Amino acid sequence: MPVNLAYRAYQFLWEALDWLYPPNCGGCGASGARWCLECTQKTIEIIPPLCPICGNPNSKNEVCERCRISPPRFTSLRSYSVFGGSIREAIHKFKYQHEIGLGEALSRLMITKIEKLNWSLDLITSVPLGLVRFRERGYNQATLLARPISLFFKVPFSSRALSRIRETRTQVGLSVIERNENMSGAFQAKKELVRDKNILVVDDVATSGATLNACAKALLDGGASKVYGFTLARAVYSPIGEIDIS
Ligand SMILES: [Zn+2]
Ligand SMILES: [Zn+2]
């Protein structure tokens, strides 16, 4: 796909800021780039074999037990890498330390993967934050990842396709079933924006897939045709759920 002007302009804007304010790598702290080559090389990409639906690694490229027992509403969920090491460090800075330039830098990693998936997309959106969290943070990190992806693929972005209609408690310590219950009914879709569309929902980290599943349900209830999910990283789910990605 030829790189388009809007996407190049967006990158150029960030590169100009890098020139004015030389960055440090969000993963390792090395000077010169917002995200360095060494950190890319150290990051563990999630590659096949994996479940064709939820994208969790398994040995045979078969639908996993969890998806068989309780099929997710999304068509497919994929992630760039395992949540750990440098990428975990970078996501922490991106979310909690206002290093918003990491959005453009890390979205490049996601773009290289999404390109290979051959998903036919009509609209891109991001997992909305609750109002309280949005006010605390001042920005939605998932949106900062989704915008450059939208520019690259020339697929429209809308931050209004989904809204959070109920605050949810932290997912820490919850089982898969509890996570699904916790997220159930948390989102609502704007019907006139999503009807008959194939939609990609972008987020920074997935754990059980409960959040993306709740987004998919809302979008499909709103008339969307298909829903795909893509996250930068994926926390390998543990039954005791000790990983805090909130
Ligand atoms: Zn680095
Ligand atoms: Zn699965």
Side-chain angles (χ1 to χ4, degrees):
M1 181 188 289
V3 170
N4 63 75
L5 281 176
Y7 179 66
R8 272 306 298 151
Y10 189 81
Q11 283 189 315
F12 179 77
L13 202 77
W14 281 106
E15 283 159 11
L17 282 169
D18 289 345
W19 186 78
L20 283 169
Y21 307 102
N24 289 92
C25 172
C28 68
S31 58
R34 282 166 274 140
W35 173 256
C36 78
L37 192 60
E38 207 171 305
C39 281
T40 299
Q41 285 161 351
K42 277 197 286 191
T43 298
I44 304 163
E45 284 186 46
I46 296 179
I47 51 167
L50 34 82
C51 169
I53 301 174
C54 71
N56 271 324
N58 67 25
S59 56
K60 291 183 191 154
N61 273 327
E62 283 176 354
V63 175
C64 73
E65 199 184 335
R66 258 176 58 198
C67 290
R68 268 204 309 269
I69 294 169
S70 169
R73 302 296 304 272
F74 47 74
T75 298
S76 256
L77 170 62
R78 295 289 182 274
S79 309
Y80 168 71
S81 76
V82 171
F83 184 63
S86 290
I87 205 113
R88 182 180 184 147
E89 189 62 35
I91 289 170
H92 189 88
K93 288 189 177 138
F94 181 38
K95 283 169 85 163
Y96 304 113
Q97 295 175 22
H98 292 86
E99 295 205 14
I100 58 169
L102 280 165
E104 190 277 323
L106 297 172
S107 70
R108 295 186 190 200
L109 306 171
M110 300 166 82
I111 285 168
T112 59
K113 283 260 176 185
I114 297 169
E115 253 189 313
K116 293 177 191 146
L117 291 168
N118 289 321
W119 288 343
S120 164
L121 302 171
D122 305 307
L123 184 73
I124 296 179
T125 190
S126 47
V127 174
L129 289 179
L131 204 56
V132 174
R133 203 159 274 161
F134 184 75
R135 283 195 185 132
E136 277 167 10
R137 202 168 290 169
Y139 59 97
N140 178 348
Q141 73 282 352
T143 300
L144 293 174
L145 293 169
R147 281 197 183 277
I149 294 170
S150 142
L151 291 173
F152 182 90
F153 291 104
K154 296 185 181 170
V155 173
F157 171 82
S158 173
S159 60
R160 296 182 305 116
L162 280 170
S163 53
R164 209 178 267 249
I165 52 172
R166 152 173 100 64
E167 298 284 340
T168 48
R169 70 181 181 107
T170 174
Q171 307 261 66
V172 180
L174 302 185
S175 69
V176 176
I177 292 166
E178 287 167 337
R179 280 169 190 248
N180 277 318
E181 278 168 5
N182 186 37
M183 294 314 298
S184 162
F187 303 101
Q188 192 172 50
K190 212 168 200 73
K191 288 193 170 81
E192 61 269 32
L193 292 177
V194 309
R195 195 173 293 130
D196 299 329
K197 288 185 176 146
N198 288 351
I199 301 174
L200 169 64
V201 185
V202 172
D203 206 0
D204 51 350
V205 185
T207 302
S208 63
T211 304
L212 268 308
N213 197 36
C215 288
K217 183 182 182 306
L219 290 166
L220 293 170
D221 288 350
S225 300
K226 279 183 181 175
V227 179
Y228 299 90
F230 199 95
T231 69
L232 175 60
R234 179 177 304 220
V236 177
Y237 182 72
S238 141
I240 50 167
E242 80 281 16
I243 303 158
D244 183 4
I245 57 149
S246 61

